[in-house]
Amino acid sequence: MSERGASAGESGRRRPARERLLDAAARRFYADGVAATGIDTITADAGVAKMSLYNNFSSKAELVRAYLDARHEEWLGLYRARLEQAHGPRDGVLAVFDAYADHAAFAYERGFRGCGLLNAAAELPAGDEGRAVVRAHKEEVERLIGGHLEQLLPDRPDEAHALAEHLAFLLEGAMARAGLEGDGDRLQHARSLAAALLDRL
């Protein structure tokens, strides 16, 4: 979920409390971190009473999981929009990289800090359900890359699988560096490296 959420008074009506809470959680968790963000901060940012939060989420942990699910769905939306412009499986692979670059280009309140999913996972204890959400997202990204590569290399499934893992690692490394550097330049460079690899197939 990005920080570009609509205003609370959109179309003259206030949006449902759940939407406002998720938007507030997206802003605060990404900018300040999960552990540093309390329930009071989220409800104040959302403009709702604390009871509204507990009417929609049983706990902060459930809100965190909903935030992670929303970020995953948001990224899928970016990927699907890019995929609509793709012409063939090579472009499909690059659409994954482009979706990450689109994520980096959002206007974040305190600047780009890398993958919001990984940032949150780093704060969660081993075995937390939220970490499983993040892992599933990363596995899906690699599967999407692999699906395009299987179309590109229909007679070389082992090579397609190995290259999907390679490109997923390239993408994750670029995302980590981009988050540290505060911009999407590393992601653009990673895309160029991926395109060069694909051109040599």
Side-chain angles (χ1 to χ4, degrees):
M1 182 174 295
S2 77
E3 300 191 8
R4 303 174 303 162
S7 66
E10 185 178 81
S11 302
R13 293 179 300 179
R14 291 182 69 80
R15 292 173 300 137
R18 182 181 177 87
E19 288 181 22
R20 285 185 280 145
L21 286 162
L22 280 171
D23 283 351
R27 288 190 297 273
R28 299 276 57 86
F29 289 158
Y30 190 84
D32 304 325
V34 171
T37 302
I39 293 299
D40 290 344
T41 299
I42 293 170
T43 54
D45 195 290
V48 302
K50 189 181 292 188
M51 186 57 67
S52 292
L53 187 143
Y54 290 112
N55 286 339
N56 286 278
F57 304 98
S58 63
S59 62
K60 180 180 175 182
E62 185 179 332
L63 176 61
V64 170
R65 287 192 297 275
Y67 158 71
L68 296 173
D69 286 335
R71 284 206 81 100
H72 171 66
E73 290 302 321
E74 180 183 61
W75 182 85
L76 283 177
L78 295 172
Y79 163 71
R80 289 170 184 143
R82 285 291 188 165
L83 194 59
E84 287 178 4
Q85 305 168 37
H87 301 285
R90 179 187 180 277
D91 285 356
V93 172
L94 297 179
V96 176
F97 283 78
D98 289 332
Y100 270 73
D102 291 342
H103 163 61
F106 287 164
Y108 293 103
E109 182 177 312
R110 297 187 183 169
F112 177 61
R113 297 181 56 243
C115 176
L117 289 165
L118 280 183
N119 292 347
E123 296 190 60
L124 300 174
D128 189 278
E129 290 180 23
R131 291 178 65 87
V133 173
V134 176
R135 178 177 175 176
H137 167 78
K138 298 303 181 181
E139 290 172 346
E140 182 162 0
V141 169
E142 186 172 332
R143 279 196 302 274
L144 291 170
I145 294 172
H148 296 302
L149 289 170
E150 287 169 6
Q151 293 176 29
L152 197 61
L153 304 169
D155 301 321
R156 295 144 68 185
D158 291 344
E159 185 177 349
H161 176 78
L163 185 54
E165 185 177 44
H166 181 98
L167 291 177
F169 287 165
L170 171 64
L171 181 58
E172 289 303 321
M175 193 64 164
R177 288 289 298 273
L180 289 170
E181 294 164 12
D183 61 51
D185 290 350
R186 290 283 178 179
L187 292 164
Q188 295 299 334
H189 185 54
R191 185 192 192 280
S192 296
L193 292 173
L197 282 171
L198 294 171
D199 289 343
R200 291 200 294 268
L201 294 178

